[in-house]
Amino acid sequence: MSDEQVRVTIVMPGPVSTELNDWEHWDGRAMDAADVAKTVVFALSRPPHVELTDISVNTTDKL
């Protein structure tokens, strides 16, 4: 066991617009990568005694 405190957060993003994905045939609007990045920054900025175990990030523009 370690004396280091390790926090783990699982980030589960919905559709994200990147050069690796092709969402042009999807009837909705994918998120920007910055939307997910801001959520990761939020999780990292919690006090040391707080652990966000999992976060789902999704677009509200889904059909």
Side-chain angles (χ1 to χ4, degrees), residues 46-57:
R46 299 305 83 203
H49 66 280
V50 174
E51 179 178 36
L52 298 175
T53 55
D54 53 271
I55 301 173
S56 295
V57 186

Side-chain angles (χ1 to χ4, degrees), residues 33-50:
D35 298 328
V36 179
K38 288 176 185 176
T39 304
V40 171
V41 169
F42 172 79
L44 292 171
S45 68
R46 299 305 83 203
H49 66 280
V50 174

Side-chain angles (χ1 to χ4, degrees), residues 5-30:
Q5 289 190 2
V6 176
R7 299 183 296 172
V8 176
T9 303
I10 299 168
V11 179
M12 299 170 285
V16 179
S17 180
T18 70
E19 64 277 357
L20 301 176
N21 298 65
D22 179 13
W23 294 104
E24 70 182 53
H25 301 294
W26 184 61
D27 290 332
R29 182 177 56 154

